[in-house]
Amino acid sequence: METRKLSLMDFLKKYGILIVLIAMWVIMLIVSPTFRTVENAVNILRQVAVNGIIAIGMTFVIMTGGIDLTVGSLIAVSGVVAGSILVADPSKVGLAVLAGIAVCGLFGAINGLFTAYAGVPPFVATLAGMTMARGFAYVYSDGKPYTLASEGFSVIGKGYAPIIIFLVILLISNFILSKTKFGRYIYATGGNSRAAMASGVNVKKVTIWVYILSGILAGISGIVLASRTNSGQPAVGTGYETDAIAAAVIGGTSMSGGIGTIGGTLIGILIIGTLNNSLNLLNVSSYYQQIIKGLIIVGAVCFDIFSKKRSK
């Protein structure tokens, strides 16, 4: 009898979120004609692309036992930095993209340094970083959005380009996590940092690099969003960290670190994207949507805790 229960738990841990995603699709395909359209499917994938890029970075961070609350603010930072360059010269697309991403990577490095060397808890370090990054975006842009008229830059956010960018990052990230030494070090750091250090893993270096990676991916997401909206806005990105955390946790990434996959995060972000789209199609108030997302996050964390207790 006990074996059956453990087998069922293992099955739910492995396939539960996929079953939830399929169930959501089946229900919405039945109740909403709009959901069945190709245009709506593409719209979901575009929305998923922006949120999915930062969710991948969040997965790396959470797997080390950390958290990154700066990603939403860094989306704004990336957009205004790139926007300021493009307003001055619309042809400098490459410079604008690299500058926006580089500044976000620098913020990520600062988060990593505070966490790894100063011993500041990740939540506190990135909470401060979130505030500073948002303030930087407002100071840098003087509180005003940059209206962009660069045809070369707008290509990044048009058509299937955001989806392609997301898929490329997804594949590269999956390779890093599953096939490289750095990926093994991430698992080791999150699983047991002391044991990892005893095995020769430079835990501090790994910690810094995952925050840099998260910052870079947030910067890329900001570039895509700025291109889609043809503007660099200091107020954009608010609350995006919530969806990123939710996608990673729903996808099976453990908040205590050491457990997680990029594939799981993909399913998690598809669930979040489908949920957002479905609730909008059903005319559910945005206030209720926030409550539902919060309950989903708590439920995913509770399931993670429960499954760990059962496995002991």
Side-chain angles (χ1 to χ4, degrees), residues 177-256:
L177 197 57
S178 61
K179 301 295 184 181
T180 69
K181 185 184 294 184
F182 179 61
R184 293 194 296 273
Y185 286 173
I186 290 174
Y187 279 108
T189 299
N192 190 323
S193 60
R194 291 184 178 180
M197 285 189 286
S199 301
V201 177
N202 191 331
V203 171
K204 292 182 178 179
K205 187 176 180 180
V206 171
T207 300
I208 292 171
W209 273 108
V210 294
Y211 280 100
I212 291 174
L213 184 59
S214 181
I216 288 173
L217 292 177
I220 294 173
S221 184
I223 293 294
V224 172
L225 186 60
S227 175
R228 281 185 60 187
T229 59
N230 288 317
S231 64
Q233 302 182 37
V236 77
T238 302
Y240 276 49
E241 62 278 354
T242 304
D243 281 357
I245 295 170
V249 173
I250 291 169
T253 303
S254 174
M255 291 297 292
S256 58

Side-chain angles (χ1 to χ4, degrees), residues 2 6 9 26 42 51 59-60 63 74 86 106 116 122 129-130 132 142 150 154 157 169 194 229 247 253 261 273:
E2 185 66 23
L6 290 175
M9 181 59 65
V26 170
V42 173
N51 291 322
T59 300
F60 281 105
M63 284 186 62
L74 291 182
L86 292 170
L106 179 60
M130 175 181 71
M132 289 189 291
D142 197 26
S150 171
S154 65
I169 292 173
R194 291 184 178 180
T229 59
T253 303
T261 63

Side-chain angles (χ1 to χ4, degrees), residues 149-197:
S150 171
E151 293 185 6
F153 185 73
S154 65
V155 171
I156 299 172
K158 282 184 177 179
Y160 293 97
I163 301 171
I164 294 171
I165 293 171
F166 171 53
L167 291 177
V168 169
I169 292 173
L170 185 80
L171 292 173
I172 293 173
S173 299
N174 185 65
F175 176 81
I176 291 172
L177 197 57
S178 61
K179 301 295 184 181
T180 69
K181 185 184 294 184
F182 179 61
R184 293 194 296 273
Y185 286 173
I186 290 174
Y187 279 108
T189 299
N192 190 323
S193 60
R194 291 184 178 180
M197 285 189 286

Side-chain angles (χ1 to χ4, degrees), residues 111-120 203-205 207-208:
N111 287 334
L113 286 169
F114 275 118
T115 301
Y117 285 96
V120 180
V203 171
K204 292 182 178 179
K205 187 176 180 180
T207 300
I208 292 171

